[in-house]
Amino acid sequence: MPVGERAGRRTQQERREYTGSALLTAAADLVVESGVRALTLARVGERAGYSRGIVTHHFGSKRALLDALARATQSGFVPGLADTAPGLERLLLLVRGYVGALGDLGPMNRAFLLLWAEAVTDPELSETFRERDHRFRADLRSDVEAGVESGSVRSDVDPDEVAVALLGQLRGIALQVLLDPDAVDTRRLAPVVAEQWRRVLETGAGEV
């Protein structure tokens, strides 16, 4: 089927999804280039080739646009997780994948990290990113709990403490990459960080 004919047969839902994706991509590009304070609905529409009215129709407000951007940029950051059972190996896969992916950040994920850093001092963003980090910690905690249950993770570790410490490390490495990319060799660092957590968590580690 010719491409033009196929495009002409898009359903209303498909057209809406296509437009929404284009607007989020434009928003991410603008955040990376100019920062969140310079982001406006009008600039997003112009960058994506649409009117401001289209952006307002899709998202309603700048806050809603940023919420959608945060959700879109974080999904799929580490491939393969959905196909891996919860537990220690999934946790280590996440660590290796997250740190490794920092070496080749696309605009969407770079925008997420920039927005996350901005959320520390911006009330407009803080609620959104508190929620995102809460979910991230919950995912980490569930992997630790599954590992304890299966016997691959030490029974004396606190899943909540591990989740806080691990998220802090991952976000801290990400900020270093944003500030000084040449100072962090993420390809070499990824397996090192994963192995450190294996030694901390694996059954038998630190036991007498």
Side-chain angles (χ1 to χ4, degrees):
M1 179 185 296
V3 173
E5 183 179 349
R6 181 182 299 173
R9 293 187 177 182
R10 284 188 182 133
T11 66
Q12 183 177 358
Q13 179 62 26
E14 288 172 337
R15 290 195 298 271
R16 178 176 176 80
E17 290 174 356
Y18 178 86
T19 301
S21 177
L23 294 175
L24 289 176
T25 298
D29 288 341
L30 290 170
V31 167
V32 171
E33 293 171 11
S34 306
V36 66
R37 297 184 190 282
L39 188 71
T40 66
L41 299 184
R43 291 191 67 192
V44 171
E46 180 182 3
R47 181 62 172 262
Y50 296 100
S51 67
R52 172 177 176 159
I54 291 293
V55 189
T56 303
H57 176 71
H58 270 262
F59 301 105
S61 66
K62 178 179 176 180
R63 167 64 188 277
L65 171 63
L66 291 173
D67 284 348
L69 183 59
R71 291 193 298 272
T73 51
Q74 193 69 343
S75 61
F77 193 74
V78 180
L81 284 182
D83 301 323
T84 306
L88 179 61
E89 294 308 319
R90 183 182 186 279
L91 185 74
L92 299 178
L93 175 63
L94 185 150
V95 171
R96 286 192 299 270
Y98 190 103
V99 176
L102 293 173
D104 187 25
L105 286 175
M108 292 290 280
N109 287 318
R110 184 175 291 274
F112 176 89
L113 293 172
L114 289 169
L115 290 171
W116 180 82
E118 186 81 17
V120 175
T121 57
D122 188 336
E124 188 176 38
L125 292 171
S126 59
E127 182 178 346
T128 295
F129 284 85
R130 277 198 301 269
E131 178 188 348
R132 301 306 298 170
D133 280 1
H134 176 78
R135 292 184 181 182
F136 199 168
R137 284 191 298 270
D139 287 342
L140 296 171
R141 183 173 62 247
S142 67
D143 279 332
V144 178
E145 291 171 342
V148 171
E149 185 175 348
S150 70
S152 61
V153 172
R154 293 165 41 192
S155 60
D156 61 333
V157 301
D158 186 310
D160 287 308
E161 292 175 356
V162 172
V164 171
L166 183 48
L167 177 57
Q169 183 182 39
L170 295 177
R171 293 288 198 240
I173 294 171
L175 289 180
Q176 291 182 70
V177 172
L178 286 177
L179 288 172
D180 191 0
D182 294 335
V184 185
D185 187 339
T186 57
R187 182 182 61 82
R188 295 182 60 184
L189 184 62
V192 171
V193 175
E195 182 58 29
Q196 288 174 344
W197 280 103
R198 182 185 295 279
R199 291 199 298 266
V200 168
L201 297 174
E202 197 167 36
T203 301
E207 297 179 352
V208 179

